[in-house]
Amino acid sequence: MAGHVRKGRVFKSPLAATGVLRIENWIKPDFPDLLWPALVLAERGNDSIRQFAKWQKAVQGALANHGEAASVAELLDGRLTHLARLAERFPEAAEIVVEEADRYGLLSAGIRRALASYPFRPAPWLVGDVEVTVPEQPELELIRDALISVLRDGHREALIKSLRTWSTVQAGTFRSDAQTIEILKNYPGDLANRAAADTLVRASWGAHKAWVTVQDSSHYDEAIKWARVFWGANSMTSRCIRKRELESLDDAHAESLDGEPETQAASSAPSDRTEPTPMPKGGENLRRFSMDVLASFVEALERAPAHLYENERQEVVSGLVARAGRDLIAVLGAPDLWCLEHGAHIGRMLVETKIYLHWMAQQEPTIYRQFQEYGAGKAKLYARIVDEVPVEARTTGFGESIEELKHLSHNHDVVNHRTVDTRDTFAEGKSIRAMAEEAGLLDFYRQAYSLSSGVAHSEWWSVETHAMEPCLNVLHGMHQIPSMSLNPGGNVELATSWVDQFYSLVREGLRILGTDDDAVTAAFAWLNDDDPSTTTVDEGVTP
C-alpha cells in the first residue's frame, strides 16, 4: 500500500486522509430538484438556457419592489424547492413565475405532464391544473432523456448548474475573483473557453452547496425529501432492465428483419441454462488424477512405519490432507464450481491447509494434540448451543445429532473434562495470517488466501462482481440489481491450479511426517508409468 497513509490497520489515500475529501453523487439528491430546467433542455436543446436567464431577469424585476434582490436571486436557481420557498415568502411570486415561464416557452404541455406525473412535488402550482397521473411513454422518454443527457454531457450539466450564477449576476450580487469572472464573462458562447468554464461552473456549484450546508445543515432537507419521492415513483412507474433483456430485444429485432415477426421473436428471449456445465476440454482427467493422488498418499502412509506411540501428528497431517483431497474431488466432479465465485472455498481451504502444515511443523510436537483438543472443545460447545433449541423445534434425528457432537467431544468414560477454547484459532488465538508470516508464507497468504477469503466471506466487491448487475433503466438512478445469469464455471486453469496445490500438499505432508522414501516411491510409481493406457495425469497438472 505504498503511497497511502496508515493509521493502525487502515490505509487511506493522502487526500482521503486529510478528512476534507467528500465524494457525492449529485444526481440522487439534486437532479430531482433541478428536474424542470433539465426537462426544458432535453425538449428544446441547450440554447433554451438563455430563455431561463430571461425568465430570471423578468421575475426579479417583477419582485424588485420587495427590496430583497439577493434573496430572490438565490431562489431562482432552477430548484423546485427554492421556487416553493419563493412563493411562500412572496405570495404573488407563484403567478409571476408561471406567467413569465409561459412567456419564454419554459412550460410546454409535455413538460407540464412530465412534472405532473410525480406526486408530492415541490411548487405544484408550476404546472397549473394538470392532474397527477401515471406517466405515459412520451413523458417517461422525456424524463429519461433529461436524466441521461446530464449524465453523459458535462456541458449540459454545467448549463443547469450555472442558473444560480446567472441569477446572481443579473441581480448584481455575484462576487468572485478576476480570473473566474474572465472565464465566465462570455459563457457559454466562447467555444474555445467552454471546457474550462464548464469545469469551473460545476466545481463552484458544489462548493456553494457545501458552504450553504455548513451555514444551515437543514437547508436541503426538503430537496432530499422530494428526491426520495422522485426515485420511489420511478421504481413504481418503470421496471428494472437487465443487459440480457436488451440483448434479447436486439436479437429479436435482427430476426424480424429476416422475416420473422418481431413480437414473436421478442417473446423467445433466451432463458438461463438449466443443465449442468458439461465437462470442459482439458478437465476430463483432473478428478481421476486427484483420486489417484489421494489413494497413493494413503497407500504410502500404510506402507511406511507409523509413529503409533505419539500418533497425533500423523493423524492431524493425514486428516488435513485427506479432507482437502475429498473436498477437491467432490468439486472436480461439478464443473459449475470451477470459478472463483463458487469455488473460492476450495482455494481458501488449500491455502489454509498448507499454512497449517508448515506452521505446525515448526512448533513443538504438542501442537498437534493442541489442534485436536481445540477442535474437540468446539464440538462440545456446538453440542451445548444446539441443545438450546426448544423441544418443539426439534426435527427427527435432532437428538442423534446432539449425541454425535457430544461423542466427538467426550474424553473420559465418566467425567467429560474437555476444555472449550473460544479463541479464534487453535494456536492460542493466533491468526492464520500470523501463522503464514511465521512459516514464511506471507506472500502466499496475501496473493492466494485473501482473495478467496473475500469471496467466501461475501465481501461487497465479490457480491458486486458475481451476484449483481447494473440496472439499465436510467430512471432508476444507476442502482444495482441481483443478476439472473449464472457463472458458467468450467475454468480448467483454475481447477488445474487446485489440483497442483493438492498434489503439493500431499508431498509436503509426507515430507513432514518423514514417510519412508521407498514407500512413497512405490505408492506414486504410476506417475512415471509410460503406458498411456494407465496414466491419468492431465497435461495441465505438474506433479
Side-chain angles (χ1 to χ4, degrees), residues 245 248-249 251-253 255 260-271:
E245 295 174 8
S248 67
L249 288 175
D251 292 341
H253 180 63
E255 291 176 2
E260 183 180 346
E262 187 167 354
T263 54
Q264 179 181 348
S267 66
S268 59
S271 60

Side-chain angles (χ1 to χ4, degrees), residues 9-27:
R9 298 186 66 179
V10 178
F11 296 82
K12 294 183 178 182
S13 67
L15 185 57
T18 64
V20 176
L21 179 65
R22 183 176 177 181
I23 303 296
E24 289 190 356
N25 175 12
W26 76 275
I27 290 293

Side-chain angles (χ1 to χ4, degrees), residues 303-326:
R303 281 175 177 266
H307 302 281
L308 298 181
Y309 180 72
E310 294 178 339
N311 50 284
E312 293 86 3
R313 184 177 68 160
Q314 182 156 327
E315 288 175 354
V316 170
V317 172
S318 61
L320 286 173
V321 172
R323 178 256 178 169
R326 291 165 62 85

Side-chain angles (χ1 to χ4, degrees), residues 323-459:
R323 178 256 178 169
R326 291 165 62 85
D327 278 4
L328 176 60
I329 289 167
V331 167
L332 291 177
D336 276 327
L337 303 180
W338 298 6
C339 59
L340 183 60
E341 179 183 6
H342 305 309
H345 64 291
I346 294 297
R348 185 174 184 268
M349 174 269 298
L350 290 168
V351 175
E352 186 175 70
T353 303
K354 181 171 183 176
I355 292 172
Y356 280 169
L357 292 181
H358 280 257
W359 184 80
M360 284 192 282
Q362 297 177 0
Q363 312 306 310
E364 292 297 323
T366 55
I367 193 65
Y368 296 102
R369 174 175 289 277
Q370 185 174 318
F371 179 85
Q372 291 178 329
E373 293 284 344
Y374 177 84
K378 281 299 188 75
K380 182 177 182 178
L381 175 63
Y382 300 149
R384 296 291 180 86
I385 293 173
V386 174
D387 205 20
E388 295 172 359
V389 176
V391 176
E392 60 272 18
R394 302 187 180 193
T395 59
T396 304
F398 188 88
E400 289 84 348
S401 300
I402 296 177
E403 290 304 317
E404 179 64 19
L405 282 172
K406 290 180 178 179
H407 169 73
L408 290 170
S409 71
H410 211 79
N411 56 359
H412 195 276
D413 292 339
V414 179
V415 181
N416 184 6
H417 56 87
R418 177 75 66 192
T419 299
V420 176
D421 186 349
T422 60
R423 287 176 289 187
D424 289 341
T425 67
F426 68 93
E428 300 179 347
K430 187 186 296 290
S431 70
I432 183 72
R433 188 183 192 280
M435 292 185 209
E437 187 169 12
E438 292 179 11
L441 295 172
L442 182 57
D443 285 344
F444 184 58
Y445 169 90
R446 292 173 60 249
Q447 295 163 7
Y449 183 87
S450 299
L451 184 67
S452 295
S453 186
V455 177
H457 288 304
S458 298
E459 292 177 355

